């Protein structure tokens, strides 16, 4: 951890009051911890927007494996980018529907591209990509 710096924040009370409520409901022990998390979140989002450097994230897909040759198409796309797939989890939700979770890590632009390609694949019912950080450039 780096050297600790202190700074003052001026806030309208109308903003501070709901912020304190939010801190309490989220379980933060103090405002500083909540502000640190908000700053980290903004930095991670910014890094993903510029798609620079390394990134990590989880991709969740729900699809009907009976549809067309969807399961095979998704598998082929994953094999094409196997270097950035850390692990996958496949759950058979019912007779038709599958839920798949992929942990992705690598060059941010490439990770995002794969996530978007899989989500937009015809037949995928729902897909979400949750971005995070490899943690290396974040205090
Ligand atoms: Ni399945």
């Amino acid at each position: 951890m780096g050297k600790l710096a202190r700074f003052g924040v001026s806030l309208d009370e109308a903003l501070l009051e709901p912020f304190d409520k939010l801190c309490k409901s989220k379980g933060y022990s103090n405002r500083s911890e909540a502000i640190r998390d908000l700053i980290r979140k903004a930095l991670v989002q910014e890094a993903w927007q510029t798609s620079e450097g390394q990134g990590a994230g989880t991709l969740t897909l729900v699809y009907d494996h009976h549809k067309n040759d969807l399961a095979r198409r998704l598998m082929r796309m994953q094999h094409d980018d196997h270097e950035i797939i850390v692990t996958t989890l496949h759950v058979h939700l019912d007779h038709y529907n599958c839920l798949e979770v992929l942990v992705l890590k690598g060059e941010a632009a490439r990770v995002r591209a794969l996530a978007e390609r899989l989500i937009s694949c015809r037949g995928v019912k729902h897909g979400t990509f949750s971005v995070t950080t490899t943690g290396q450039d974040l205090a």
Side-chain angles (χ1 to χ4, degrees):
M1 195 174 169
K3 197 175 150 201
L4 209 60
R6 290 179 188 278
F7 66 99
V9 178
S10 303
L11 270 187
D12 193 313
E13 279 182 9
L15 195 56
L16 186 59
E17 201 176 306
F19 181 66
D20 281 342
K21 276 188 191 165
L22 183 76
C23 290
K24 199 175 172 190
S25 73
K26 298 280 184 189
Y28 287 107
S29 51
N30 56 59
R31 290 174 184 155
S32 291
E33 195 51 48
I35 289 170
R36 279 192 285 272
D37 265 5
L38 288 172
I39 292 172
R40 289 188 195 107
K41 195 174 181 179
L43 291 172
V44 169
Q45 277 175 350
E46 177 63 20
W48 273 98
Q49 265 165 17
T50 56
S51 279
E52 282 174 1
Q54 300 288 300
T58 53
L59 173 66
T60 305
L61 301 170
V62 172
Y63 60 92
D64 179 346
H65 75 274
H66 286 100
K67 283 275 168 71
N68 307 318
D69 62 339
L70 182 57
R72 194 185 303 176
R73 279 188 289 134
L74 291 172
M75 189 64 70
R76 192 167 51 229
M77 290 164 74
Q78 291 182 37
H79 276 272
D80 285 346
D81 268 319
H82 66 90
E83 300 98 337
I84 56 172
I85 300 175
V86 180
T87 192
T88 60
L89 169 74
H90 186 107
V91 177
H92 310 304
L93 292 172
D94 56 34
H95 188 71
Y96 299 96
N97 294 295
C98 302
L99 182 149
E100 215 161 274
V101 179
L102 289 82
V103 176
L104 307 174
K105 181 185 160 207
E107 190 189 318
R110 193 175 165 201
V111 167
R112 180 188 290 284
L114 174 62
E116 288 174 351
R117 243 185 353 265
L118 290 167
I119 289 172
S120 64
C121 207
R122 193 166 157 260
V124 171
K125 292 182 176 179
H126 188 245
T128 56
F129 180 45
S130 173
V131 296
T132 186
T133 173
T134 60
Q136 288 176 344
D137 302 320
L138 208 58

